[in-house]
Amino acid sequence: MTGLVCLALLLGASAGWAGGLVGRPAFCLGSDGVAMTVEFSNMCYAVQATGAPSEEQGDKVQTQRGLLRATFGVAPGLDVDLALGTANLSFPDSPADFSTFRSEWGFAWGGGLRAGYPFQDELWQLQLSMNYIGFRAEGETANSQKVLRSEYVWQELTPTLTVGYRFGQLTPFVGAMQAILFGVRETEVEFLGAVKPALGGKQNYTDGKQKPQGLMGVDWRFPDGYFLTAQISASGQGQWGFSLGLAQALK
């Protein structure tokens, strides 16, 4: 696993952390199909700020991920997958006088389910998918008087609807996605060198108010079952994403 994470970090750095909500082949694999994908993603969301410095504001949050995904075709037009890798979390727009919150890279896990129609091999396919990713993120933001330390169990559930059409080796696709953010946040507040337990604590959170994002992408098939998939998404509300995946489909 250490070697895999190092490979993901190396490839991600060279790609500028272009990464992947999708990276596997654009169409469903079919019965008994298997694909292995190295994928990277950079997602930006707008969330309600937490903590005293910016309670009334909406914050931008970015998360970058490098994953190894295994996809299994369990029936015609039905795939399931599992993913392991690494991820981080940052709040790039810090409140006045506070440092930027940026977590270290941590262990990430995920999975997904997608159904495609028609079931048989055609030039087009309509897909409904559900993707999940979770990871732990720890970091802090501080000014001359206060330190706010936060630990997240960050989780995303993303239903997506797409339609694609195959032109030779290229398969462009378009669609829409809706991110649902949830998890657990634990905070510790230190003021003038003393921890203030009453100002911190643990809480569950759910953010189902993310704007739906339109998306477009392309899947490029190479010899020996290799696929390169790229996708961009945006809502027009400061929320966007970019993903890139390299897969090999096996039978």
Side-chain angles (χ1 to χ4, degrees), residues 131-215:
N131 290 296
Y132 165 81
I133 185 171
F135 59 91
R136 293 183 178 273
E138 299 180 23
E140 67 178 38
T141 180
N143 63 13
S144 58
Q145 295 183 322
K146 183 182 293 186
V147 179
L148 176 62
R149 301 183 182 91
S150 300
E151 179 179 348
Y152 290 85
V153 179
W154 182 272
Q155 299 181 87
E156 301 174 18
L157 188 64
T158 310
T160 304
L161 181 66
T162 61
V163 61
Y165 193 90
R166 184 182 295 121
F167 296 92
Q169 304 306 310
L170 294 177
T171 304
F173 56 89
V174 295
M177 53 179 269
Q178 172 68 65
I180 301 168
L181 311 180
F182 61 101
V184 179
R185 175 177 54 244
E186 186 170 6
T187 58
E188 179 185 83
V189 178
E190 179 181 311
F191 184 72
L192 296 178
V195 175
K196 304 294 183 180
L199 299 180
K202 179 184 292 186
Q203 65 180 124
N204 297 322
Y205 66 90
T206 301
D207 182 356
K209 298 181 180 180
Q210 295 295 309
K211 299 293 184 182
Q213 297 188 36
L215 65 86

Side-chain angles (χ1 to χ4, degrees), residues 16 19 33 46 60 70-71 78 82 84 104 120 122-123 126 144 150 177 183-184 190 193 201 209 216 221 245 248:
K60 287 186 174 62
T71 303
L78 183 63
L82 299 173
L84 296 173
E104 299 293 331
Q120 65 273 17
E122 297 283 353
L123 293 179
L126 178 69
S144 58
S150 300
M177 53 179 269
V184 179
E190 179 181 311
K209 298 181 180 180
M216 61 186 300
R221 183 171 183 171
Q248 184 176 30

Side-chain angles (χ1 to χ4, degrees), residues 21 88 140-141 176 208 240 246:
L21 284 176
N88 72 359
E140 67 178 38
T141 180
W240 53 271
L246 177 64

Side-chain angles (χ1 to χ4, degrees), residues 15-246:
W17 282 108
L21 284 176
V22 293
R24 54 198 187 277
F27 281 11
C28 291
L29 298 176
S31 298
D32 301 322
V34 178
M36 299 299 295
T37 304
V38 178
E39 62 180 55
F40 308 96
S41 65
N42 188 5
M43 300 299 298
C44 182
Y45 300 112
V47 300
Q48 182 62 40
T50 60
S54 55
E55 189 68 36
E56 74 284 355
Q57 300 175 8
D59 273 359
K60 287 186 174 62
V61 57
Q62 291 191 29
T63 165
Q64 301 170 324
R65 295 79 75 98
L67 299 172
L68 177 66
R69 183 181 299 275
T71 303
F72 306 93
V74 297
L78 183 63
D79 290 352
V80 298
D81 57 61
L82 299 173
L84 296 173
T86 184
N88 72 359
L89 190 68
S90 65
F91 291 81
D93 297 333
S94 302
D97 301 325
F98 277 79
S99 61
T100 298
F101 178 97
R102 185 178 302 277
S103 78
E104 299 293 331
W105 291 92
F107 175 68
W109 62 91
L113 175 70
R114 63 175 178 171
Y117 180 83
F119 304 136
Q120 65 273 17
D121 188 17
E122 297 283 353
L123 293 179
W124 68 278
Q125 190 172 84
L126 178 69
Q127 281 187 20
L128 177 63
S129 65
M130 185 73 71
N131 290 296
Y132 165 81
I133 185 171
F135 59 91
R136 293 183 178 273
E138 299 180 23
E140 67 178 38
T141 180
N143 63 13
S144 58
Q145 295 183 322
K146 183 182 293 186
V147 179
L148 176 62
R149 301 183 182 91
S150 300
E151 179 179 348
Y152 290 85
V153 179
W154 182 272
Q155 299 181 87
E156 301 174 18
L157 188 64
T158 310
T160 304
L161 181 66
T162 61
V163 61
Y165 193 90
R166 184 182 295 121
F167 296 92
Q169 304 306 310
L170 294 177
T171 304
F173 56 89
V174 295
M177 53 179 269
Q178 172 68 65
I180 301 168
L181 311 180
F182 61 101
V184 179
R185 175 177 54 244
E186 186 170 6
T187 58
E188 179 185 83
V189 178
E190 179 181 311
F191 184 72
L192 296 178
V195 175
K196 304 294 183 180
L199 299 180
K202 179 184 292 186
Q203 65 180 124
N204 297 322
Y205 66 90
T206 301
D207 182 356
K209 298 181 180 180
Q210 295 295 309
K211 299 293 184 182
Q213 297 188 36
L215 65 86
M216 61 186 300
V218 64
D219 181 84
W220 190 356
R221 183 171 183 171
F222 294 90
D224 300 322
Y226 285 97
F227 294 81
L228 180 64
T229 303
Q231 174 185 298
I232 59 173
S233 62
S235 70
Q237 302 292 326
Q239 301 170 65
W240 53 271
F242 182 57
S243 66
L244 182 67
L246 177 64

